[in-house]
């Protein structure tokens, strides 16, 4: 298993269990488990219909945990944060045809009832690639990778900077690497080199950074679009103690009105959840759910 410090969370409209089962069937090496359920008491009025239902569903794809949050219709994922699935022939015993066939099966499952954003086909960067938004609004980039390339995890979250965040991918990479500790580092970075739609020559066509052995990619849009970052997909950091919570919260939070229950929005519009690493233990305390709902930044002593 990779040393994962950043956990993508996907907002679901009351159908997290269903979505988790769908991903477990559609994506190879994927398991879905209900992680926590809503309490039967202490819910706010708008949450009472969720009593006893799944609160979070843990979907493990390869070595990466993606969490589904079961909530209401307030938010929906969009292509601003997608998930690259790297089908590496080395994971299929060096058999390129087997890797390609597995990609095709996954593509068929994810595209059923969804929307194709880039057709499955050959591109300069991959012999077999496609980008699809599935029936739940989650975006996936399926890629047949080159065995001779640098190894990457099966799943790589990908940030797309457009609209108000256009041409800020490099700035974001540098900021995240500086904040996320000594085991964070930038990876490859390829600028457009020439003006491409809204992208300047210096804008990032593809960039990446890592935290430990976990990789995240970032790119500036090369076409006019406005897919703002939202709570539809957020990034969660599990913190060792209150000092780490305070440090990341102070450095990242840029929209005071967005602060709620450990959620914040950073200067680029990306939503983060800054939570204690022992959140599961804290939520077992009496009235913990009510205490959490009353907080903005999470304070461990107040659970």
């Amino acid at each position: 298993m990779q040393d994962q410090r950043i956990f993508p969370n996907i907002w679901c409209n009351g159908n997290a269990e269903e979505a988790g089962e769908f991903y477990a069937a559609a994506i190879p090496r994927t398991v879905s488990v209900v992680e926590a359920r809503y309490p039967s008491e202490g819910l706010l009025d708008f949450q009472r219909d969720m009593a006893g239902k799944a609160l979070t569903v843990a979907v493990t794809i390869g070595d990466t945990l993606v969490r589904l949050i079961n909530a209401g219709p307030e938010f929906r994922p969009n292509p601003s944060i997608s998930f690259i699935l790297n089908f590496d022939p080395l994971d299929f015993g060096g058999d390129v045809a087997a890797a390609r066939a597995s990609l095709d099966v996954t593509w068929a499952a994810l595209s059923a009832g969804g929307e194709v954003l880039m057709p499955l086909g050959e591109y300069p960067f991959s012999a077999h690639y496609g980008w699809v938004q599935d029936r739940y609004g989650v975006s996936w980039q399926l890629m047949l990778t080159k065995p001779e390339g640098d190894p990457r995890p099966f799943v790589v979250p990908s940030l797309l900077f457009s609209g108000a965040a256009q041409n800020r991918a490099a700035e974001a990479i540098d900021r995240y690497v500086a904040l996320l500790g000594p085991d964070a580092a930038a990876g490859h970075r390829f600028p457009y080199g020439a003006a491409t739609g809204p992208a300047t020559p210096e804008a990032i066509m593809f960039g990446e950074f890592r935290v430990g052995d976990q990789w995240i990619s970032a790119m500036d849009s090369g076409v006019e679009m406005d897919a703002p970052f939202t709570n539809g997909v957020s990034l969660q950091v599990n913190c060792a103690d209150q000092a780490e919570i305070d440090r990341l919260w102070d450095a990242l939070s840029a929209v005071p009105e967005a602060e709620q229950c450990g959620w914040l929005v950073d200067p680029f519009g990306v939503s983060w959840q800054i939570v204690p690493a022992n959140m599961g233990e804290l939520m077992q305390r009496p009235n913990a759910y009510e205490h959490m709902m009353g907080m903005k930044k999470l304070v461990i002593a107040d659970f």
Side-chain angles (χ1 to χ4, degrees), residues 80-150:
S80 63
I81 299 183
S82 60
F83 298 91
I84 299 171
L85 297 180
N86 288 308
F87 289 80
D88 189 337
L90 292 177
D91 294 329
F92 295 82
D95 190 335
V96 175
R100 184 181 180 118
S102 181
L103 187 158
D104 288 343
V105 170
T106 305
W107 174 268
L110 292 175
S111 59
E115 177 185 356
V116 173
L117 303 180
M118 291 180 67
L120 187 61
E122 184 174 354
Y123 293 86
F125 51 85
S126 175
H128 203 49
Y129 167 90
W131 191 340
V132 64
Q133 190 172 43
D134 70 27
R135 66 186 66 176
Y136 301 103
V138 181
S139 295
W140 305 87
Q141 300 183 58
L142 280 62
M143 180 180 297
L144 182 65
T145 57
K146 299 176 181 178
E148 65 272 20
D150 294 337

Side-chain angles (χ1 to χ4, degrees), residues 2-219:
Q2 69 173 339
D3 178 20
Q4 185 173 352
R5 284 198 58 211
I6 299 176
F7 299 84
N9 290 336
I10 299 171
W11 189 285
C12 296
N13 183 9
N15 54 10
E17 287 189 74
E18 173 192 315
E21 292 170 0
F22 170 74
Y23 295 133
I27 304 172
R29 299 161 50 201
T30 298
V31 178
S32 175
V33 177
V34 175
E35 190 176 44
R37 294 189 177 275
Y38 280 92
S40 56
E41 299 178 351
L43 296 173
L44 300 177
D45 289 345
F46 72 92
Q47 297 172 318
R48 288 179 179 171
D49 289 344
M50 302 296 284
K53 295 183 179 179
L55 173 60
T56 58
V57 176
V59 180
T60 304
I61 307 172
D63 290 337
T64 300
L65 173 62
V66 176
R67 186 172 283 108
L68 308 182
I69 300 175
N70 211 28
E74 296 85 357
F75 303 103
R76 181 175 170 83
N78 68 26
S80 63
I81 299 183
S82 60
F83 298 91
I84 299 171
L85 297 180
N86 288 308
F87 289 80
D88 189 337
L90 292 177
D91 294 329
F92 295 82
D95 190 335
V96 175
R100 184 181 180 118
S102 181
L103 187 158
D104 288 343
V105 170
T106 305
W107 174 268
L110 292 175
S111 59
E115 177 185 356
V116 173
L117 303 180
M118 291 180 67
L120 187 61
E122 184 174 354
Y123 293 86
F125 51 85
S126 175
H128 203 49
Y129 167 90
W131 191 340
V132 64
Q133 190 172 43
D134 70 27
R135 66 186 66 176
Y136 301 103
V138 181
S139 295
W140 305 87
Q141 300 183 58
L142 280 62
M143 180 180 297
L144 182 65
T145 57
K146 299 176 181 178
E148 65 272 20
D150 294 337
R152 292 291 181 268
F154 181 39
V155 182
V156 175
S158 179
L159 310 181
L160 174 63
F161 291 74
S162 69
Q166 179 70 46
N167 300 331
R168 301 187 71 188
E171 178 189 351
I173 290 172
D174 292 341
R175 185 177 182 90
Y176 298 152
V177 167
L179 285 175
L180 291 170
D183 59 344
H188 296 299
R189 191 175 301 193
F190 302 102
Y192 278 93
T196 306
T200 63
E202 299 79 17
I204 300 300
M205 181 169 56
F206 177 83
E208 60 182 358
F209 66 97
R210 66 171 179 83
V211 182
D213 54 6
Q214 180 184 15
W215 287 90
I216 295 177
S217 75
M219 63 177 291

